[in-house]
Amino acid sequence: MAASPPVIVREVWQNNLDYEFDLIQQSIFQFSFASIDTEFPGNIFHPPTDIPKHLYSSLPPHLFYSIMKQNVDVLHLIQLGLTLSDAQDNLPNFSTPFSYAWQFNFRDFDPNLHLHNPDSISLLGRQGIDLSYNKIMGIDSRIFAMKFKAMLLDMRSLQIGRLPVDFTWVTFHGSHDFGFLIKILTGKKLPQNFVDFMLLIETYFGEAIYDLKVMTPSLRLYGGLERITKRLGLDRVAGKSHQAGSDSLLTMQLFVELKKKYLSIYNMASFNCKLYGLTSTVAHDQMK
């Protein structure tokens, strides 16, 4: 993805939510790739203490999901980042000299009332997230859910309940990203088992979903988003790390780079609808 034209992350609050969703809905049929990222108050539930941290990725999907569900069920979303791209790797520009991504800021979380990881909240503060401003100007997640579901309906093909096959969702370590979205869209806690959770993701988002954290190890690329993109020589073109809009943009940059350099020699279908930690081959076969 070229660094020119300059990219601006559009800040979305309650008072401009309608306007920004109108822009997004104007774009979705031309820009059929969407990367997402979330910021939330850190994890407060963790794997059993006898499991070393470097083995977390080896947890059975049902245990990984159980821990993720505990966290998502009691935590509140702070930000959602959304970046749209077309098949030629262009971002929306709305006939301006700039390209754009979006950052939705939510009001639901109050550090004085709600569970959180203090270290995570301190990190978000250092990265420029002002939770007191979010509380005043942020988006009510219930209103966001109505708007987002309307957008998903606009994406649907004539076959009821299906997204067009050419609309693709991209994440990096996306289990929590989709977890918070499913929680907001359904207005409920997450399902008891991860197979039902994956079916809900397919119902809302369709069948073209790629988690780059699942894909990169097969390309001998290891670590987090920042580490992998630096190894590939990719520079963050807007915003800061641990801001959802900027991280969704960097996720899209990585996806574009992988498509150009690597994925043409791999079968992308083998990575489809697999989220890091949740979808082993057995789990994926159970859903089909």
Side-chain angles (χ1 to χ4, degrees):
M1 183 182 301
S4 182
V7 181
I8 294 175
V9 177
R10 302 177 70 91
E11 297 281 356
V12 187
W13 308 93
Q14 187 67 52
N15 61 5
N16 66 340
L17 182 65
D18 290 345
Y19 179 77
E20 296 299 331
F21 258 116
D22 285 343
L23 290 179
I24 292 169
Q25 287 182 292
Q26 292 172 28
S27 306
I28 55 178
F29 294 105
Q30 179 183 353
F31 299 88
S32 57
F33 294 85
S35 60
I36 57 173
D37 180 77
T38 58
E39 296 297 336
F40 54 93
N43 287 311
I44 59 174
F45 298 104
H46 302 279
T49 55
D50 59 342
I51 299 177
K53 190 170 184 179
H54 71 278
L55 294 180
Y56 284 4
S57 62
S58 301
L59 292 174
H62 72 275
L63 179 56
F64 188 102
Y65 178 73
S66 174
I67 297 166
M68 187 204 80
K69 171 179 162 55
Q70 289 180 68
N71 283 296
V72 172
D73 281 350
V74 301
L75 297 172
H76 295 76
L77 189 60
I78 295 174
Q79 287 184 336
L80 170 71
L82 174 69
T83 299
L84 299 177
S85 174
D86 64 16
Q88 290 73 45
D89 309 325
N90 301 303
L91 307 185
N93 60 34
F94 307 112
S95 300
T96 74
F98 302 98
S99 295
Y100 297 99
W102 285 267
Q103 181 164 277
F104 296 86
N105 301 279
F106 294 91
R107 68 173 56 175
D108 301 30
F109 174 65
D110 185 336
N112 297 314
L113 299 175
H114 300 133
L115 293 171
H116 61 276
N117 183 319
D119 291 339
S120 296
I121 295 303
S122 296
L123 173 61
L124 295 181
R126 292 194 300 272
Q127 296 306 103
I129 297 177
D130 185 345
L131 293 174
S132 60
Y133 191 78
N134 276 40
K135 190 63 183 172
I136 298 169
M137 300 298 295
I139 303 160
D140 185 322
S141 63
R142 294 167 297 182
I143 298 174
F144 172 87
M146 291 188 292
K147 298 285 185 183
F148 199 85
K149 282 190 279 190
M151 181 189 76
L152 294 176
L153 284 172
D154 282 349
M155 294 174 180
R156 294 189 186 279
S157 66
L158 294 177
Q159 182 183 359
I160 296 175
R162 295 289 181 184
L163 288 172
V165 294
D166 61 347
F167 200 92
T168 301
W169 296 88
V170 182
T171 68
F172 189 96
H173 204 317
S175 52
H176 282 75
D177 300 331
F178 281 110
F180 278 105
L181 278 173
I182 292 297
K183 175 185 174 181
I184 287 173
L185 292 173
T186 62
K188 300 176 182 178
K189 294 181 178 181
L190 297 185
Q192 289 299 318
N193 68 79
F194 70 94
V195 175
D196 288 342
F197 172 66
M198 294 301 298
L199 289 172
L200 271 178
I201 292 175
E202 186 176 311
T203 297
Y204 279 101
F205 295 92
E207 298 180 342
I209 296 170
Y210 295 95
D211 187 337
L212 304 187
K213 181 68 171 174
V214 174
M215 301 166 72
T216 47
S218 68
L219 306 172
R220 297 185 179 181
L221 296 168
Y222 303 100
L225 178 63
E226 199 83 27
R227 178 179 177 182
I228 291 173
T229 51
K230 284 183 178 179
R231 178 179 169 184
L232 294 175
L234 298 175
D235 295 322
R236 189 181 293 270
V237 297
K240 298 180 179 180
S241 63
H242 300 290
Q243 290 190 358
S246 179
D247 281 351
S248 74
L249 179 59
L250 190 59
T251 299
M252 184 62 78
Q253 290 176 254
L254 176 58
F255 183 62
V256 168
E257 189 73 5
L258 294 180
K259 283 194 301 176
K260 288 179 178 177
K261 289 189 174 180
Y262 298 101
L263 295 180
S264 59
I265 62 174
Y266 288 87
N267 180 6
M268 282 187 64
S270 66
F271 300 105
N272 193 17
C273 292
K274 293 185 178 181
L275 295 183
Y276 182 78
L278 292 181
T279 42
S280 65
T281 302
V282 173
H284 193 254
D285 288 345
Q286 284 180 305
M287 292 187 293
K288 294 300 182 182

